[in-house]
Amino acid sequence: MQALALAILLFPAAGGIFLGVFNWRGSRLLTAMVGPGVIWAAFVCVLILLGNNVDQDFTYWTWIRAGSFEVPFDILIDHLSLFMCLVITGVGGLIVTYAVGYMEHETDGSYARFFCYMDVFVLAMLILVLAGNTVFLIVGWAGVGLSSYLLIGFYYWRRSAVIAARKAFVMNVIGDIGMILGAFVLFVSYHQVVYLKLFPALPHTPDATTELAAFLLLVGGIAKSAQLPLHTWLPDAMEGPTPVSALIHAATMVTAGVYLVARFHPLYDATIYAHAAVAIIGAVTALFAASIALVQTDIKRVLAYSTMSQIGYMFLAVGIGAYSAGLFHLLSHAFFKALLFMAAGNVIHALHDDQDMRHYGGLWHDMRRSSVTFLAGSLSLAGIIPFVGFFSKENVLGEAFSRGDGLGYAVWFIGFVTAVLTGFYTGRMWWFAFWRPASEERPVAGHLHEAPLVMLVPVAVLAVLTTVGGFLQIKAIGGWALVDDFLKPVLGEERIRTNGLEYLATVLTLVLAALAFAAAYNFWIRGTWSPAGWRARYGWGARVLERKYYFDELYDWAFVRPLDRLAGFTDREDRSLIDTGAVDVGAYTERGAGALSLTQTGFLRSYVLVFVAGVVIAAVLVLWRASS
Amino acid sequence: MLSAIWILPALGGLIVCFLPRGAARVGAILVALAELALTLVVAATFDASHHGYQYAEQASWIAQFNVSYHLGVDGLSVWLLVLNALIGALAVLATPAAWPRASAFLGLMLLMESGMAGVFLSVDLLLFYVFWEAMLIPAYFLLWLWGEGERPNYAALKFVLFTLVGSLLMLVGVLGEYVFSSAHTFDLPALAAQPPSPAIQFGLFALFAAAFAVKIPVWPLHSWLPDAYMSAPTPFLLLLAGVMGKTGAYGMLRVLLPLNPHPVNWWDWNWVLPVLAVIGIAWGALLALAQRDLKALVAYSSISHMGFIVLGIFALNAQGQEGALVQMLNHGIIVPALFLIVAWIYARTGSRDRSVLTGLAPAMPVLAGVFLVVTMAALGLPGLNSFVGEFMTLLGAWQLSPWLAVAGCIGLILAPIYMLRLFQGAMYTEVAGPPDHPAEGVVRKDMARGELALIAPLLALMFVLGLYPYLVVHALPALGQGMQVLHW
């Protein structure tokens, strides 16, 4: 089993090396086989481990040792890491298979490069969830940042893609530093890096150290999961190819922050402020992102903001201690958001890479299969019963509501408002892009080509999962809870719901979200209410939303430009102050030396010559004495 | 055995100087490879469980002053010797056959390598000083006679004056150790066992610290570095940037701290240097951010990276100092790789300006891939080598004062900004067009096999040291002499 656990990592590693080093201008067929193949192989390894009920920390070698600081290279297999591995390799396998069709227009070199990066990403993501200690976690954490960077900048001849990639990288490095400092605090205070030794050493009552460590780790979490205020990179990350958006910026990497809090739940359980901060950041981000999604016109950006918003729900859940509810929503979101991105990818592919929804329309008629799957994803996102999104979102909000304290009601209320907004912007996306008659600006006027089978089958699989996956955990209708049961060994018992009131809240949320979805029809199809009229009345609001609350402008003004100015200042001062100072000292010395010698350089060289002679003589002496 | 490590390149270098061009290159390569093999044998047979110097050689040299010819290796020096030999070999291999006055150039390079090997080998303070000076002489001539750019003369002079001032201070310190230590010897273990009184240590500490700080260089003594690096020809630059700066850091660990473990307590040098190191980390990174010239960018980033080494050394704990050693090796691996890449880009495009260069990746995909790995190593990506060193130096500094570690993190945030500007500026963006239409004027020539072979060992080491740094650091507890500051 030890070898099998390592094999989960070795398969994607081998795939990445093979594609990047040996097959980068080789056979396309081989690339198309190896790229997804290694991920499915890792999936099989995960299934075997699961089937054998493995629950163990495997140590392979000593990575770093300095005094009492000892970091092993270890893999922790438990139900939480296996759960994450299933999502990563299962949904990841589907998405990378889909990419075989989506990326077919790329040149040979780019084709292999794409799958190489994807395999490297899956490797890093698996390291992130399988790492058994805090330092190894950081390796995975930064590794996904690297692959995200490479894939956002995949079309490196587009300046916007290159800049977006760099922005994502730098923001994530800020998060990485939070993680690094958090690991320092944990090591210095508790002298452990390995989870299984660290967690029992943590105190059970809140103190400043645990709060500090939890906040520092949270910095890493919010950077990776695009939560406020380190979120601005995610919308720009849509510069990457659509399968990348589906895999990295929807299903897996951006949910790493949720995994982090769940993994470190003994730490967060021992804190008050840091734990509440997780819930509040999540709730506020959920509402913030949903409001921006109302006005975006690029379909991938709407999906990006909805991703931010849904991850906000997950943060909300783990922030109030409902860890397995957060992870259930993570799973559910991986299904329906990957589905939405890939169905949208089919459309974008057919419309020659046009992502502007204003140029869409008529898709229900022309691309029936992709549209049906997109509808399943939309209803799930909007939280309509019986799709998976309904059950998981209800689970999160139900836990918040039944918590019964101020924080619980506050985040429930924000989550409730967000759910209604989600219904509305999802409805807008569906009616406006898919249902409405074809736009005159549509780049392809006539008949559209439905996607090939290699792209349709993964989408169909996800559509099925989205439709029936909710029945894993049907607490909303008082049924079983398979996800809770599965994660119980790691995360402990979920709270039992105490009163019946949250079922009322559930019904209210469902009805209003459904009404909002339907109301969007009145706006964009029937024209009962006109979007233009609303814009005329609330133009300032639309502008604020369209400019994304001016965060990019703020950061540019507060950080980017001052940094460039500071660098310029340093450069000038280094020349004028430090260098001149040193050279002045040198000049005075030269004048002094001039008195001793004819010319200054002559002085130097004669010194050097004398020295050479001295060294040679010394060396000869040594050899002579050593031999005698 | 150890004598051979410095005598081989010294003799080889002298002979190569007088060989005709073609033979000189072959001879120099053979000498450098033999040197590498020799150091690898020492490293492979090194006993990590043994305390004290290994393969020691001792002979009386100037008996009346207790100066001895005493060589030895321990866990601190053994891998630096390998690094020296490896970079020396790469530097010789990177010298093209058509180099001007190739024989003398190669000979001097080997002499410089010999001097640096001597520094890492010496267990006698006076011997250390002799080698310290000896490595400077070939470096000066290499910079003066083969310098590039507008003012190679000026750069060489500045370099030598800075270093000589440091050396003279150190000479005073060397004599001071002899006079004031009750041991009355130049033997390092004996001096470390019987340090002078704290007040004397205070002064000696300042002398040695200044000498080593110039060499590393520590802010604000760094102003020789940009001029020297900018005018140094690439093969020489590999040795200069890759190894010579490490002799300063090595001196701090080998001489400065063990010989002056308790300077007076009313003024703590152990606080001054980490603060300067942190300033250097941020200062160098900001300077790198302001540069347009790729070579200058790498040179300034070097100041930032060396700051981590000093910070780790003066954290005065096992994590910090071990991190410093790892970081010395890392920097010795990464910076030569970066300078090689910059030189190759310059050879293909005739430009080193990141605002002019653009979109080279389609024309040279292999170079782009190699450059990507080196960039990631340089900005400290976890999993590659630099992360281990930076993580450990910062962990060490955190235990001294969390604020030092937090301030050091500024370097970690700025590194991706300037490194990605460097990498993306040269390799990416649209001006060169999509893969089928590279820009005009770009030489469509990817890396030659020889170039790939040259950088391949460095790339391999980035992965090896990133994934298994224990390979190197497991030897570190086998120290040659009592170092009060290292607690294992």
Side-chain angles (χ1 to χ4, degrees), chain A residues 63-66 142 149 156-157 159 166 177 564 571 574 579 605 611, chain B residues 133 144 158 222-223 283 291 319 322 421 424 429-430 466-467 470:
Chain A
W63 186 32
I64 305 175
R65 180 154 71 197
Y149 161 82
Y156 57 72
W157 46 91
R159 181 170 289 276
R166 191 162 66 209
I177 285 167
D564 270 338
D571 194 35
D574 195 65
D579 197 30
R605 276 176 210 148
F611 204 89
Chain B
E133 294 293 291
W144 175 43
K158 197 168 166 185
H222 62 271
S223 71
W283 191 264
Q291 304 308 313
Q319 289 87 32
E322 195 168 305
R421 274 189 186 174
Q424 293 183 329
T429 72
E430 81 270 76
L467 295 174
Y470 190 62

mmCIF file of all heavy atoms in Angstrom, chain A residues 63-66 142 149 156-157 159 166 177 564 571 574 579 605 611, chain B residues 133 144 158 222-223 283 291 319 322 421 424 429-430 466-467 470:
data_model
loop_
_atom_site.group_PDB
_atom_site.id
_atom_site.type_symbol
_atom_site.label_atom_id
_atom_site.label_comp_id
_atom_site.label_asym_id
_atom_site.label_seq_id
_atom_site.Cartn_x
_atom_site.Cartn_y
_atom_site.Cartn_z
ATOM 1 N N TRP A 63 13.300 14.663 4.463
ATOM 2 C CA TRP A 63 13.446 15.725 3.471
ATOM 3 C C TRP A 63 14.417 16.782 3.993
ATOM 4 O O TRP A 63 15.421 17.096 3.364
ATOM 5 C CB TRP A 63 12.063 16.310 3.193
ATOM 6 C CG TRP A 63 12.031 17.303 2.090
ATOM 7 C CD1 TRP A 63 12.825 17.314 0.979
ATOM 8 C CD2 TRP A 63 11.170 18.424 1.982
ATOM 9 N NE1 TRP A 63 12.489 18.380 0.192
ATOM 10 C CE2 TRP A 63 11.482 19.075 0.780
ATOM 11 C CE3 TRP A 63 10.156 18.951 2.781
ATOM 12 C CZ2 TRP A 63 10.814 20.215 0.367
ATOM 13 C CZ3 TRP A 63 9.496 20.078 2.361
ATOM 14 C CH2 TRP A 63 9.823 20.709 1.162
ATOM 15 N N ILE A 64 14.116 17.315 5.152
ATOM 16 C CA ILE A 64 14.989 18.323 5.753
ATOM 17 C C ILE A 64 15.213 17.907 7.199
ATOM 18 O O ILE A 64 14.288 17.417 7.844
ATOM 19 C CB ILE A 64 14.321 19.716 5.765
ATOM 20 C CG1 ILE A 64 13.873 20.113 4.361
ATOM 21 C CG2 ILE A 64 15.269 20.761 6.325
ATOM 22 C CD1 ILE A 64 13.095 21.417 4.352
ATOM 23 N N ARG A 65 16.427 18.106 7.680
ATOM 24 C CA ARG A 65 16.624 17.955 9.109
ATOM 25 C C ARG A 65 17.627 18.996 9.572
ATOM 26 O O ARG A 65 18.704 19.110 9.018
ATOM 27 C CB ARG A 65 17.129 16.559 9.467
ATOM 28 C CG ARG A 65 17.332 16.427 10.988
ATOM 29 C CD ARG A 65 17.224 15.011 11.474
ATOM 30 N NE ARG A 65 18.365 14.235 11.047
ATOM 31 C CZ ARG A 65 18.385 12.908 11.047
ATOM 32 N NH1 ARG A 65 17.328 12.228 11.384
ATOM 33 N NH2 ARG A 65 19.459 12.266 10.661
ATOM 34 N N ALA A 66 17.256 19.762 10.573
ATOM 35 C CA ALA A 66 18.165 20.745 11.161
ATOM 36 C C ALA A 66 17.827 20.842 12.621
ATOM 37 O O ALA A 66 16.796 21.385 12.990
ATOM 38 C CB ALA A 66 18.012 22.103 10.483
ATOM 39 N N ALA A 142 2.325 25.731 -3.463
ATOM 40 C CA ALA A 142 3.002 26.577 -4.451
ATOM 41 C C ALA A 142 3.017 25.908 -5.813
ATOM 42 O O ALA A 142 3.022 26.577 -6.847
ATOM 43 C CB ALA A 142 4.421 26.876 -3.990
ATOM 44 N N TYR A 149 -0.300 29.436 -12.931
ATOM 45 C CA TYR A 149 0.403 30.489 -13.676
ATOM 46 C C TYR A 149 0.664 30.073 -15.117
ATOM 47 O O TYR A 149 0.400 30.811 -16.074
ATOM 48 C CB TYR A 149 1.721 30.801 -12.961
ATOM 49 C CG TYR A 149 2.751 31.502 -13.799
ATOM 50 C CD1 TYR A 149 2.706 32.875 -13.976
ATOM 51 C CD2 TYR A 149 3.773 30.790 -14.422
ATOM 52 C CE1 TYR A 149 3.647 33.519 -14.758
ATOM 53 C CE2 TYR A 149 4.718 31.434 -15.195
ATOM 54 C CZ TYR A 149 4.646 32.794 -15.367
ATOM 55 O OH TYR A 149 5.567 33.427 -16.147
ATOM 56 N N TYR A 156 0.719 32.446 -24.511
ATOM 57 C CA TYR A 156 1.674 33.434 -24.016
ATOM 58 C C TYR A 156 1.944 34.536 -25.013
ATOM 59 O O TYR A 156 2.670 35.457 -24.730
ATOM 60 C CB TYR A 156 2.980 32.752 -23.586
ATOM 61 C CG TYR A 156 3.648 31.949 -24.674
ATOM 62 C CD1 TYR A 156 4.282 32.579 -25.729
ATOM 63 C CD2 TYR A 156 3.646 30.563 -24.636
ATOM 64 C CE1 TYR A 156 4.890 31.848 -26.728
ATOM 65 C CE2 TYR A 156 4.245 29.825 -25.633
ATOM 66 C CZ TYR A 156 4.868 30.471 -26.670
ATOM 67 O OH TYR A 156 5.459 29.740 -27.661
ATOM 68 N N TRP A 157 1.377 34.419 -26.201
ATOM 69 C CA TRP A 157 1.573 35.504 -27.165
ATOM 70 C C TRP A 157 0.513 36.594 -26.984
ATOM 71 O O TRP A 157 0.525 37.583 -27.694
ATOM 72 C CB TRP A 157 1.570 34.972 -28.600
ATOM 73 C CG TRP A 157 0.463 34.014 -28.862
ATOM 74 C CD1 TRP A 157 -0.777 34.320 -29.322
ATOM 75 C CD2 TRP A 157 0.493 32.590 -28.680
ATOM 76 N NE1 TRP A 157 -1.527 33.180 -29.421
ATOM 77 C CE2 TRP A 157 -0.767 32.104 -29.053
ATOM 78 C CE3 TRP A 157 1.470 31.688 -28.258
ATOM 79 C CZ2 TRP A 157 -1.091 30.752 -28.994
ATOM 80 C CZ3 TRP A 157 1.149 30.341 -28.207
ATOM 81 C CH2 TRP A 157 -0.125 29.883 -28.569
ATOM 82 N N ARG A 159 -0.694 39.464 -24.626
ATOM 83 C CA ARG A 159 -0.175 40.231 -23.495
ATOM 84 C C ARG A 159 -1.093 40.121 -22.278
ATOM 85 O O ARG A 159 -0.643 39.978 -21.147
ATOM 86 C CB ARG A 159 -0.018 41.702 -23.903
ATOM 87 C CG ARG A 159 0.534 42.580 -22.801
ATOM 88 C CD ARG A 159 0.899 43.952 -23.337
ATOM 89 N NE ARG A 159 2.079 43.901 -24.178
ATOM 90 C CZ ARG A 159 3.334 43.931 -23.706
ATOM 91 N NH1 ARG A 159 3.534 44.011 -22.412
ATOM 92 N NH2 ARG A 159 4.357 43.886 -24.519
ATOM 93 N N ARG A 166 0.902 36.592 -14.380
ATOM 94 C CA ARG A 166 1.823 37.128 -13.382
ATOM 95 C C ARG A 166 1.058 37.619 -12.153
ATOM 96 O O ARG A 166 1.477 37.416 -11.016
ATOM 97 C CB ARG A 166 2.642 38.261 -13.989
ATOM 98 C CG ARG A 166 3.782 38.677 -13.085
ATOM 99 C CD ARG A 166 4.817 39.461 -13.825
ATOM 100 N NE ARG A 166 4.300 40.731 -14.286
ATOM 101 C CZ ARG A 166 4.742 41.359 -15.363
ATOM 102 N NH1 ARG A 166 5.674 40.822 -16.108
ATOM 103 N NH2 ARG A 166 4.235 42.508 -15.723
ATOM 104 N N ILE A 177 3.318 33.026 1.474
ATOM 105 C CA ILE A 177 4.102 33.550 2.591
ATOM 106 C C ILE A 177 3.300 33.474 3.874
ATOM 107 O O ILE A 177 3.843 33.165 4.947
ATOM 108 C CB ILE A 177 4.589 34.964 2.263
ATOM 109 C CG1 ILE A 177 5.723 34.830 1.251
ATOM 110 C CG2 ILE A 177 5.079 35.693 3.501
ATOM 111 C CD1 ILE A 177 6.110 36.088 0.595
ATOM 112 N N ASP A 564 6.772 50.514 -7.970
ATOM 113 C CA ASP A 564 7.658 50.913 -9.072
ATOM 114 C C ASP A 564 8.408 52.184 -8.722
ATOM 115 O O ASP A 564 9.587 52.329 -9.032
ATOM 116 C CB ASP A 564 6.842 51.105 -10.350
ATOM 117 C CG ASP A 564 6.743 49.803 -11.131
ATOM 118 O OD1 ASP A 564 7.618 48.930 -10.907
ATOM 119 O OD2 ASP A 564 5.815 49.648 -11.929
ATOM 120 N N ASP A 571 17.006 52.605 -6.924
ATOM 121 C CA ASP A 571 18.015 52.549 -7.976
ATOM 122 C C ASP A 571 18.831 53.839 -8.016
ATOM 123 O O ASP A 571 20.058 53.821 -8.067
ATOM 124 C CB ASP A 571 17.307 52.317 -9.313
ATOM 125 C CG ASP A 571 18.276 51.901 -10.389
ATOM 126 O OD1 ASP A 571 19.242 51.187 -10.048
ATOM 127 O OD2 ASP A 571 18.081 52.299 -11.542
ATOM 128 N N ASP A 574 20.931 54.173 -4.840
ATOM 129 C CA ASP A 574 22.046 53.242 -4.796
ATOM 130 C C ASP A 574 23.226 53.813 -5.564
ATOM 131 O O ASP A 574 24.372 53.657 -5.179
ATOM 132 C CB ASP A 574 21.630 51.894 -5.382
ATOM 133 C CG ASP A 574 22.626 50.811 -5.015
ATOM 134 O OD1 ASP A 574 22.749 50.508 -3.826
ATOM 135 O OD2 ASP A 574 23.295 50.287 -5.929
ATOM 136 N N ASP A 579 27.003 54.316 -3.730
ATOM 137 C CA ASP A 579 28.150 54.136 -4.608
ATOM 138 C C ASP A 579 29.074 55.346 -4.527
ATOM 139 O O ASP A 579 30.282 55.219 -4.405
ATOM 140 C CB ASP A 579 27.660 53.913 -6.038
ATOM 141 C CG ASP A 579 28.752 53.326 -6.891
ATOM 142 O OD1 ASP A 579 29.596 52.604 -6.333
ATOM 143 O OD2 ASP A 579 28.768 53.608 -8.089
ATOM 144 N N ARG A 605 49.280 47.382 -8.868
ATOM 145 C CA ARG A 605 49.814 46.232 -9.582
ATOM 146 C C ARG A 605 51.095 45.719 -8.953
ATOM 147 O O ARG A 605 51.340 44.524 -8.909
ATOM 148 C CB ARG A 605 50.048 46.600 -11.052
ATOM 149 C CG ARG A 605 48.744 46.433 -11.809
ATOM 150 C CD ARG A 605 48.823 46.858 -13.219
ATOM 151 N NE ARG A 605 47.496 47.341 -13.597
ATOM 152 C CZ ARG A 605 47.283 48.306 -14.464
ATOM 153 N NH1 ARG A 605 48.295 48.909 -15.050
ATOM 154 N NH2 ARG A 605 46.065 48.672 -14.749
ATOM 155 N N PHE A 611 52.639 40.193 -4.152
ATOM 156 C CA PHE A 611 51.856 39.166 -3.494
ATOM 157 C C PHE A 611 51.972 37.830 -4.200
ATOM 158 O O PHE A 611 52.127 36.781 -3.566
ATOM 159 C CB PHE A 611 50.390 39.593 -3.397
ATOM 160 C CG PHE A 611 49.738 38.888 -2.279
ATOM 161 C CD1 PHE A 611 49.756 39.430 -1.011
ATOM 162 C CD2 PHE A 611 49.192 37.630 -2.462
ATOM 163 C CE1 PHE A 611 49.228 38.754 0.043
ATOM 164 C CE2 PHE A 611 48.663 36.947 -1.414
ATOM 165 C CZ PHE A 611 48.665 37.505 -0.145
ATOM 166 N N GLU B 133 43.872 35.868 -0.289
ATOM 167 C CA GLU B 133 44.505 36.849 -1.159
ATOM 168 C C GLU B 133 44.827 36.255 -2.519
ATOM 169 O O GLU B 133 44.700 36.911 -3.548
ATOM 170 C CB GLU B 133 45.800 37.360 -0.511
ATOM 171 C CG GLU B 133 45.577 38.150 0.746
ATOM 172 C CD GLU B 133 44.871 39.466 0.464
ATOM 173 O OE1 GLU B 133 45.476 40.353 -0.143
ATOM 174 O OE2 GLU B 133 43.689 39.584 0.838
ATOM 175 N N TRP B 144 40.185 42.711 -15.326
ATOM 176 C CA TRP B 144 40.850 43.862 -15.931
ATOM 177 C C TRP B 144 41.122 43.617 -17.431
ATOM 178 O O TRP B 144 40.836 44.457 -18.277
ATOM 179 C CB TRP B 144 42.157 44.114 -15.176
ATOM 180 C CG TRP B 144 43.018 45.200 -15.772
ATOM 181 C CD1 TRP B 144 42.587 46.395 -16.235
ATOM 182 C CD2 TRP B 144 44.420 45.159 -15.960
ATOM 183 N NE1 TRP B 144 43.645 47.130 -16.702
ATOM 184 C CE2 TRP B 144 44.792 46.400 -16.539
ATOM 185 C CE3 TRP B 144 45.425 44.227 -15.668
ATOM 186 C CZ2 TRP B 144 46.105 46.698 -16.864
ATOM 187 C CZ3 TRP B 144 46.729 44.552 -15.989
ATOM 188 C CH2 TRP B 144 47.068 45.761 -16.577
ATOM 189 N N LYS B 158 37.810 48.971 -8.868
ATOM 190 C CA LYS B 158 36.867 49.123 -7.773
ATOM 191 C C LYS B 158 36.752 47.813 -6.990
ATOM 192 O O LYS B 158 36.794 47.793 -5.751
ATOM 193 C CB LYS B 158 35.515 49.509 -8.370
ATOM 194 C CG LYS B 158 34.532 50.089 -7.397
ATOM 195 C CD LYS B 158 33.382 50.696 -8.198
ATOM 196 C CE LYS B 158 32.195 51.001 -7.328
ATOM 197 N NZ LYS B 158 31.065 51.483 -8.130
ATOM 198 N N HIS B 222 28.022 46.864 -1.056
ATOM 199 C CA HIS B 222 27.810 46.065 -2.269
ATOM 200 C C HIS B 222 28.127 46.812 -3.545
ATOM 201 O O HIS B 222 27.944 46.257 -4.617
ATOM 202 C CB HIS B 222 26.346 45.634 -2.314
ATOM 203 C CG HIS B 222 25.415 46.810 -2.393
ATOM 204 N ND1 HIS B 222 24.923 47.431 -1.269
ATOM 205 C CD2 HIS B 222 24.921 47.490 -3.452
ATOM 206 C CE1 HIS B 222 24.155 48.446 -1.639
ATOM 207 N NE2 HIS B 222 24.144 48.499 -2.955
ATOM 208 N N SER B 223 28.581 48.043 -3.459
ATOM 209 C CA SER B 223 28.533 48.830 -4.700
ATOM 210 C C SER B 223 29.598 48.402 -5.717
ATOM 211 O O SER B 223 29.527 48.799 -6.867
ATOM 212 C CB SER B 223 28.622 50.322 -4.406
ATOM 213 O OG SER B 223 29.911 50.647 -3.977
ATOM 214 N N TRP B 283 16.554 45.704 -0.402
ATOM 215 C CA TRP B 283 17.234 46.687 -1.260
ATOM 216 C C TRP B 283 17.604 46.047 -2.606
ATOM 217 O O TRP B 283 17.327 46.599 -3.672
ATOM 218 C CB TRP B 283 18.461 47.194 -0.529
ATOM 219 C CG TRP B 283 19.144 48.379 -1.137
ATOM 220 C CD1 TRP B 283 20.212 48.353 -1.977
ATOM 221 C CD2 TRP B 283 18.822 49.764 -0.939
ATOM 222 N NE1 TRP B 283 20.585 49.621 -2.316
ATOM 223 C CE2 TRP B 283 19.752 50.517 -1.693
ATOM 224 C CE3 TRP B 283 17.855 50.436 -0.212
ATOM 225 C CZ2 TRP B 283 19.722 51.906 -1.734
ATOM 226 C CZ3 TRP B 283 17.833 51.821 -0.249
ATOM 227 C CH2 TRP B 283 18.751 52.543 -1.000
ATOM 228 N N GLN B 291 15.647 47.353 -12.840
ATOM 229 C CA GLN B 291 16.589 47.174 -13.944
ATOM 230 C C GLN B 291 15.877 46.778 -15.242
ATOM 231 O O GLN B 291 14.904 46.044 -15.212
ATOM 232 C CB GLN B 291 17.616 46.095 -13.607
ATOM 233 C CG GLN B 291 18.377 46.351 -12.342
ATOM 234 C CD GLN B 291 18.994 47.735 -12.313
ATOM 235 O OE1 GLN B 291 19.604 48.167 -13.277
ATOM 236 N NE2 GLN B 291 18.813 48.434 -11.210
ATOM 237 N N GLN B 319 18.702 25.690 12.414
ATOM 238 C CA GLN B 319 17.901 25.849 11.199
ATOM 239 C C GLN B 319 18.492 26.947 10.305
ATOM 240 O O GLN B 319 18.633 26.786 9.103
ATOM 241 C CB GLN B 319 16.453 26.188 11.546
ATOM 242 C CG GLN B 319 15.682 25.032 12.151
ATOM 243 C CD GLN B 319 15.848 24.965 13.653
ATOM 244 O OE1 GLN B 319 16.003 25.979 14.319
ATOM 245 N NE2 GLN B 319 15.817 23.771 14.208
ATOM 246 N N GLU B 322 22.060 25.956 8.910
ATOM 247 C CA GLU B 322 21.951 24.911 7.893
ATOM 248 C C GLU B 322 21.310 25.481 6.631
ATOM 249 O O GLU B 322 21.719 25.191 5.509
ATOM 250 C CB GLU B 322 21.115 23.760 8.447
ATOM 251 C CG GLU B 322 21.247 22.511 7.627
ATOM 252 C CD GLU B 322 20.648 21.320 8.358
ATOM 253 O OE1 GLU B 322 21.051 21.065 9.504
ATOM 254 O OE2 GLU B 322 19.776 20.671 7.777
ATOM 255 N N ARG B 421 9.257 39.187 -14.564
ATOM 256 C CA ARG B 421 9.489 40.224 -15.567
ATOM 257 C C ARG B 421 10.642 39.814 -16.475
ATOM 258 O O ARG B 421 10.593 39.977 -17.691
ATOM 259 C CB ARG B 421 9.856 41.539 -14.891
ATOM 260 C CG ARG B 421 8.677 42.349 -14.494
ATOM 261 C CD ARG B 421 9.173 43.699 -14.046
ATOM 262 N NE ARG B 421 8.085 44.491 -13.505
ATOM 263 C CZ ARG B 421 8.273 45.674 -12.932
ATOM 264 N NH1 ARG B 421 9.484 46.179 -12.834
ATOM 265 N NH2 ARG B 421 7.270 46.347 -12.467
ATOM 266 N N GLN B 424 9.312 36.475 -18.441
ATOM 267 C CA GLN B 424 8.235 36.748 -19.393
ATOM 268 C C GLN B 424 8.657 37.790 -20.401
ATOM 269 O O GLN B 424 8.292 37.722 -21.575
ATOM 270 C CB GLN B 424 7.000 37.243 -18.645
ATOM 271 C CG GLN B 424 6.382 36.189 -17.761
ATOM 272 C CD GLN B 424 5.124 36.695 -17.095
ATOM 273 O OE1 GLN B 424 4.992 37.876 -16.805
ATOM 274 N NE2 GLN B 424 4.195 35.797 -16.844
ATOM 275 N N THR B 429 4.854 37.202 -24.536
ATOM 276 C CA THR B 429 4.075 38.329 -25.085
ATOM 277 C C THR B 429 4.027 38.354 -26.599
ATOM 278 O O THR B 429 4.752 37.661 -27.283
ATOM 279 C CB THR B 429 4.490 39.725 -24.564
ATOM 280 O OG1 THR B 429 5.733 40.061 -25.131
ATOM 281 C CG2 THR B 429 4.489 39.779 -23.072
ATOM 282 N N GLU B 430 3.160 39.262 -27.060
ATOM 283 C CA GLU B 430 2.588 39.039 -28.378
ATOM 284 C C GLU B 430 3.411 39.539 -29.539
ATOM 285 O O GLU B 430 3.168 39.157 -30.656
ATOM 286 C CB GLU B 430 1.201 39.678 -28.453
ATOM 287 C CG GLU B 430 1.187 41.182 -28.711
ATOM 288 C CD GLU B 430 1.212 42.006 -27.460
ATOM 289 O OE1 GLU B 430 2.298 42.117 -26.855
ATOM 290 O OE2 GLU B 430 0.161 42.541 -27.080
ATOM 291 N N GLY B 466 16.219 20.247 -4.168
ATOM 292 C CA GLY B 466 14.874 20.630 -3.756
ATOM 293 C C GLY B 466 14.125 19.480 -3.127
ATOM 294 O O GLY B 466 13.379 19.659 -2.167
ATOM 295 N N LEU B 467 14.317 18.282 -3.673
ATOM 296 C CA LEU B 467 13.543 17.136 -3.198
ATOM 297 C C LEU B 467 14.286 16.347 -2.126
ATOM 298 O O LEU B 467 13.670 15.650 -1.328
ATOM 299 C CB LEU B 467 13.210 16.214 -4.375
ATOM 300 C CG LEU B 467 12.288 16.835 -5.415
ATOM 301 C CD1 LEU B 467 12.132 15.931 -6.617
ATOM 302 C CD2 LEU B 467 10.925 17.122 -4.807
ATOM 303 N N TYR B 470 18.515 16.652 2.183
ATOM 304 C CA TYR B 470 19.150 15.882 3.255
ATOM 305 C C TYR B 470 20.471 15.277 2.779
ATOM 306 O O TYR B 470 21.401 15.088 3.558
ATOM 307 C CB TYR B 470 18.183 14.804 3.717
ATOM 308 C CG TYR B 470 18.615 14.091 4.966
ATOM 309 C CD1 TYR B 470 18.759 14.780 6.164
ATOM 310 C CD2 TYR B 470 18.872 12.737 4.947
ATOM 311 C CE1 TYR B 470 19.152 14.130 7.306
ATOM 312 C CE2 TYR B 470 19.261 12.068 6.088
ATOM 313 C CZ TYR B 470 19.413 12.766 7.269
ATOM 314 O OH TYR B 470 19.808 12.122 8.400
#
